[in-house]
Amino acid sequence: MSFDDMLVVPASKPSGRKASRARLSSGIVKVTRAEELRLQLADDIVRGVLPPGASLDETEIARRFEVSRTPVREALRQLAASGLVDSRAHRGAFVAQPSPERLTGMFEAMAELEALCAGLAAERMLAVERHALEAVHEELRVLSHAGNPERFAEVNERFHNMIYTGSQNDYIAEITLATRVRVQPFRRAQFRNLGRLAKSQAEHDRVVIAILRGDRPGAAAAMRAHIELVRGEYEHYAVTV
């Protein structure tokens, strides 16, 4: 799936670079049917409902979710990119599990890319973008008290999207989002840990404060620490399911 395929396209839209930035800065991501399937199947995999080695038959999945095989095929392709699915010619698709080394590499890349975005955002984020970031941060605060991990995960993506946009570097924003798509199943799973929503909100506080102060090193360090803690929370979650 391309970057533009994942973003909402306004009815009357500017073209080129401005259009790309406008779509990401809105914080709203278009969820395709393939994306919905990917999230549902990823959730089943990381929770152990679909154990390692389980066959993922396209026809059976299409029947289960009442869709054609086209979005199923795309969802499985995306899951294979995350390392959750092993897909081989003439053998079909099976549930896999990323090696510890690959998962470590994915999170390390994610931490550095997000730290870069946060640092640049501290220097470059526009006033209107800062106000929008504060509003979403407050929305997450309310959700952290409500204890709704699914909704928190959705709004959390908007929060991070705004920081990518605030970097004012479309290319870095694109590759950061593309990397997050691969790590997303593991990031979503850790929100089920007891007390994780409140911890995540506190980590976000440090990122937002640094950005609003224009503190590039502080914002980068806070975001890097946040993603490293996300990785640790996922590892804790993985041994409890």
Side-chain angles (χ1 to χ4, degrees):
M1 177 184 296
S2 70
F3 175 73
D4 284 340
D5 287 340
M6 298 182 64
L7 303 175
V8 170
V9 180
S12 178
K13 60 182 183 298
S15 60
R17 181 178 178 181
K18 289 184 179 179
S20 179
R21 293 199 71 255
R23 292 194 296 270
L24 185 54
S25 63
S26 70
I28 302 172
V29 177
K30 178 180 68 177
V31 180
T32 65
R33 193 66 183 108
E35 178 70 3
E36 290 178 355
L37 286 171
R38 182 182 74 84
L39 292 175
Q40 289 171 315
L41 291 172
D43 187 63
D44 285 347
I45 292 171
V46 297
R47 288 193 296 115
V49 175
L50 291 171
S55 175
L56 298 169
D57 181 77
E58 289 183 8
T59 302
E60 182 179 332
I61 294 172
R63 186 182 303 113
R64 172 187 171 189
F65 293 103
E66 299 180 339
V67 296
S68 70
R69 292 177 61 180
T70 299
V72 174
R73 192 174 298 114
E74 175 61 19
L76 292 178
R77 186 191 68 78
Q78 294 174 25
L79 289 169
S82 293
L84 288 176
V85 166
D86 182 10
S87 183
R88 299 180 183 178
H90 311 301
R91 289 188 56 190
F94 300 85
V95 176
Q97 173 65 30
S99 68
E101 293 77 16
R102 178 171 175 79
L103 200 55
T104 294
M106 291 164 68
F107 270 107
E108 285 181 348
M110 190 81 265
E112 293 305 316
L113 285 168
E114 295 227 22
L116 177 58
C117 286
L120 291 173
E123 289 187 338
R124 304 175 179 178
M125 186 173 268
L126 304 176
V128 65
E129 294 173 330
R130 291 170 185 266
H131 292 317
L133 181 65
E134 288 182 283
V136 172
H137 183 46
E138 181 58 31
E139 185 177 353
L140 283 169
R141 188 186 308 282
V142 172
L143 289 171
S144 70
H145 293 307
N148 185 335
E150 294 301 322
R151 179 60 181 156
F152 189 95
E154 293 172 5
V155 179
N156 179 67
E157 292 188 16
R158 288 168 49 204
F159 174 85
H160 285 271
N161 277 357
M162 290 179 174
I163 294 174
Y164 305 165
T165 304
S167 72
Q168 310 300 330
N169 186 310
D170 295 343
Y171 183 72
I172 291 174
E174 289 177 17
I175 61 176
T176 303
L177 179 58
T179 303
R180 191 182 72 194
V181 169
R182 296 192 173 199
V183 184
Q184 187 182 38
F186 312 102
R187 294 178 70 156
R188 288 173 64 90
Q190 51 96 30
F191 285 128
R192 297 191 181 91
N193 288 349
L194 184 63
R196 178 56 192 154
L197 301 189
K199 292 177 184 177
S200 182
Q201 183 65 17
E203 293 157 22
H204 285 178
D205 269 334
R206 291 188 280 274
V207 174
V208 171
I209 289 171
I211 289 177
L212 296 181
R213 287 178 176 172
D215 178 4
R216 179 172 181 171
M223 182 63 85
R224 185 180 293 107
H226 171 51
I227 302 303
E228 289 173 352
L229 287 169
V230 168
R231 171 188 165 191
E233 289 284 345
Y234 170 72
E235 291 174 348
H236 174 72
Y237 171 82
V239 300
T240 62
V241 295

